[in-house]
Amino acid sequence: MVCVSVFYPNAPGKKFDHDYYAQKHMPFVLEKAKSMGMIRYEIEIGLSGGAPGTPAIYASTGRLYFDNIEEFEKTMAA
């Protein structure tokens, strides 16, 4: 299995639309890539940094899953 992670950096004043990402963007990606081998996706929301009270380094992380590297490469080529 191949897992590809996409990291969205967090910064002061930056806004990441988690609702749009979870309800529109990632389902759209799966819809388009499923026929080329994408199995599923996962979404993580950054809640805090490594030390107490610090902001998350990443606002969100998306993970795309494929059975093998060839399917991932085919999806990215398309």
Side-chain angles (χ1 to χ4, degrees):
M1 179 170 293
V2 174
C3 174
V4 179
S5 299
V6 181
F7 296 92
Y8 296 92
N10 193 20
K14 257 190 166 178
K15 180 174 178 343
F16 187 87
D17 190 341
H18 292 284
D19 290 334
Y20 172 83
Y21 189 64
Q23 296 172 13
K24 302 283 185 187
H25 182 76
M26 290 302 275
F28 174 77
V29 170
L30 181 60
E31 175 189 327
K32 296 297 180 188
K34 193 171 189 173
S35 66
M36 293 174 273
M38 186 173 158
I39 301 166
R40 65 186 172 94
Y41 63 86
E42 294 176 350
I43 300 169
E44 295 180 3
I45 297 173
L47 299 177
S48 67
T54 61
I57 296 171
Y58 298 103
S60 188
T61 303
R63 291 195 169 79
L64 314 176
Y65 290 88
F66 299 84
D67 278 328
N68 56 59
I69 192 70
E70 291 80 18
E71 290 173 344
F72 167 69
E73 289 173 339
K74 181 170 63 172
T75 300
M76 291 300 106

